[in-house]
């Protein structure tokens, strides 16, 4: 199955940060709207904070949510630039999960810590990461609806509790996210261990990105998502994203 969507985002920049607001339309099992508001602010030379609310946001946390659900997510984060190439970050999130038919599926809380080290800036840029995250969820089971036949083991529509420690290595990722004109490949590998499930996972991402015209960016790739904290099947996703800067 597949899901399509389009978003319009507007950003207002200030001397110490920015505010981004947007709205979008999704077409999956049902058609629905989405919206978001995000504030990023530089508190001092090394400290940054961000806070945001994302309404009807896409999520791939479970196969059910990816195909027929969404989440309403509140995010608050704080980061510290230890060095010019090293960043420490902590975050808290509260999430309400729902089906695209409007049915409530439960809620969850996440809190985590991450550290990022940019080892090389020129292509291929290389970044290493370490992350630890705890998630606690209160689900309402799987609705008796048309998506059940798409799930191999439909124990829960939303994630189950987890405590994950992991890391990653990312090569060429400026071509995945930034407005870079040359077309180049990027790749990522992310091992992790869930102490609640006592299971090791390995995810990956491979793609190519660059500019099509002027002040725009297109990236196309494939992502493998292991069934972390889901208890269901692994997911292989083909994706593309196009952005234009005015």
């Amino acid at each position: 199955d597949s899901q399509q969507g389009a978003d319009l985002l507007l950003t207002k920049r200030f001397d110490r940060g920015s505010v981004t607001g947007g709205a979008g339309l999704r077409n999956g099992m049902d058609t629905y709207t989405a919206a978001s508001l995000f504030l990023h602010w530089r508190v001092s030379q090394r400290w940054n904070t961000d806070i945001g609310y994302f309404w009807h946001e896409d999520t791939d946390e479970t196969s059910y949510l990816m195909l027929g659900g969404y989440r309403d997510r509140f995010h608050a984060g704080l980061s510290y630039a230890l060095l010019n190439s090293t960043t420490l970050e902590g975050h808290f999130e509260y999430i309400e999960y729902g089906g695209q038919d409007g049915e409530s599926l439960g809620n969850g809380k996440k809190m985590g810590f991450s550290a990022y080290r940019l080892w090389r800036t020129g292509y291929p840029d290389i970044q290493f990461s370490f992350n630890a995250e705890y998630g606690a969820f209160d689900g309402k089971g799987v609705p008796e609806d048309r998506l059940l036949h798409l799930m191999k083991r439909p124990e829960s529509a939303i994630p189950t509790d987890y405590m994950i420690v992991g890391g990653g290595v990312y090569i060429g990722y400026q071509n995945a996210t930034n407005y870079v004109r040359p077309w180049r490949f990027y790749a990522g590998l992310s091992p992790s261990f869930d102490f609640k499930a006592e299971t090791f996972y390995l995810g990956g991402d491979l793609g190519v990105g660059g500019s099509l015209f002027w002040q725009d960016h297109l990236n196309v790739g494939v992502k493998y998502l292991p069934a972390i904290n889901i208890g269901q099947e692994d997911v292989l996703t083909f994706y593309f994203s196009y952005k234009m800067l005015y």
Side-chain angles (χ1 to χ4, degrees), residues 199-214:
T199 305
F200 174 80
Y201 303 98
L202 184 64
D205 189 11
L206 177 65
V208 61
S211 176
L212 280 181
F213 305 108
W214 179 74

Side-chain angles (χ1 to χ4, degrees), residues 103-226:
E103 183 172 357
S104 175
L105 301 176
N107 61 74
K109 302 178 184 66
K110 298 181 181 180
M111 57 191 71
F113 168 82
S114 303
Y116 302 93
R117 169 73 175 177
L118 184 61
W119 186 66
R120 175 188 167 95
T121 55
Y123 185 83
D125 50 281
I126 301 175
Q127 179 175 275
F128 297 96
S129 70
F130 167 83
N131 61 278
E133 185 173 78
Y134 171 75
F137 304 89
D138 182 15
K140 299 181 179 180
V142 177
E144 296 288 339
D145 65 14
R146 53 187 166 171
L147 286 181
L148 281 180
H149 72 280
L150 299 175
M151 305 171 66
K152 294 181 180 178
R153 294 182 296 276
E155 290 91 351
S156 176
I158 72 172
T160 54
D161 294 359
Y162 64 84
M163 185 169 63
I164 292 176
V165 174
V169 56
Y170 308 94
I171 301 173
Y173 253 62
Q174 299 240 6
N175 281 73
T177 57
N178 295 345
Y179 290 91
V180 179
R181 291 199 63 82
W183 279 83
R184 291 166 176 163
F185 285 95
Y186 60 87
L189 198 63
S190 51
S192 60
F193 185 82
D194 187 343
F195 285 89
K196 281 192 172 289
E198 298 183 345
T199 305
F200 174 80
Y201 303 98
L202 184 64
D205 189 11
L206 177 65
V208 61
S211 176
L212 280 181
F213 305 108
W214 179 74
Q215 290 194 159
D216 65 345
H217 182 265
L218 173 68
N219 67 298
V220 182
V222 57
K223 180 184 295 185
Y224 172 70
L225 301 171

Side-chain angles (χ1 to χ4, degrees), residues 55-69:
W55 180 66
H56 288 182
E57 180 184 41
D58 294 340
T59 176
D60 54 17
E61 291 176 89
T62 70
S63 57
Y64 184 96
L65 290 171
M66 184 174 64
L67 294 172

